[in-house]
Amino acid sequence: VGRCEPQRCRDRLRRECPEIKDEDVRLFCYLLLGFTPTIISVLLGKDKSVVYNRTSRLKARLKDWNIFL
């Protein structure tokens, strides 16, 4: 994805990966904005360990789809 506006990146992600879940798109945007796992855990209402696991899985899926953070 490279450096781009989060909205454009989100739109591209949805276009190229229509099966992606809304929660993963939200996580993707938070990561693009540079939010820390602590902040993301508060925003999502999840434990930090959940955020770490979801981030790892999301990055692996993005790599499979040839989309990089």
Side-chain angles (χ1 to χ4, degrees):
V1 172
R3 292 185 63 87
C4 66
E5 297 174 19
Q7 184 175 347
R8 285 184 35 179
C9 291
R10 181 201 64 208
D11 293 345
R12 177 180 171 211
L13 180 64
R14 286 201 181 274
R15 188 173 54 252
E16 294 185 17
C17 313
E19 69 278 7
I20 194 165
K21 297 177 188 175
D22 289 341
E23 281 192 3
D24 287 334
V25 172
R26 192 173 307 120
L27 177 60
F28 175 79
C29 290
Y30 292 155
L31 293 169
L32 277 180
L33 292 168
F35 290 179
T36 65
T38 302
I39 296 297
I40 294 171
S41 70
V42 171
L43 293 171
L44 296 178
K46 306 282 184 186
D47 189 71
K48 231 184 339 183
S49 64
V50 172
V51 172
Y52 284 120
N53 290 334
R54 286 186 51 207
T55 298
S56 178
R57 286 193 305 267
L58 177 61
K59 285 182 177 183
R61 277 185 268 144
L62 292 174
K63 186 176 178 185
D64 289 344
W65 295 326
N66 293 317
I67 297 174
F68 302 95
L69 280 175

